[in-house]
Amino acid sequence: QVQLVESGGGLVQAGGSLRLSCAASGGIFSSYAMGWFRQAPGKEREFVAAISRIGVTTRYVDSVKGRFTISRDNAKNTVYLQMNSLKPEDTAVYYCVADPSTSALVAGPSSWGQGTQVTVSS
């Protein structure tokens, strides 16, 4: 099973930007769809974004469309989440996820990272 390590979280003011990174190891990176989930305090984990194995297809939850961009670099075994125009409601722990299938990833991925905190102040 692939191991995932996130980085890039932190504290930012509303309207600002952050870029999350996720380094993968222990598997063939290009055989996995990759994505991000998040969990806000007191709420369930929710799907945020996904990218197919070779990066042709992306999916987003409606609340981040036009503000977040997911990308991947298969040569570096890394997936990114560029987050712009951040809002206080984006505050959450963000988890990098992986699954051989994009549709399965959106429903419930097989591999999870430990998470990185993103806090957006108003």
Side-chain angles (χ1 to χ4, degrees), residues 43-98:
K43 296 187 177 181
E44 293 187 354
R45 287 181 183 179
E46 69 166 349
F47 166 76
V48 176
I51 188 166
S52 59
R53 287 174 288 181
I54 59 173
V56 172
T57 303
T58 57
R59 295 179 61 176
Y60 299 92
V61 67
D62 285 348
S63 60
V64 307
K65 286 180 180 177
R67 300 188 297 122
F68 290 12
T69 302
I70 188 170
S71 61
R72 66 189 295 160
D73 185 338
N74 285 357
K76 295 182 179 180
N77 290 359
T78 302
V79 63
Y80 306 96
L81 185 67
Q82 178 67 45
M83 305 185 293
N84 298 329
S85 301
L86 282 161
K87 304 176 181 180
E89 51 263 43
D90 294 317
T91 295
V93 177
Y94 283 71
Y95 297 91
C96 179
V97 296

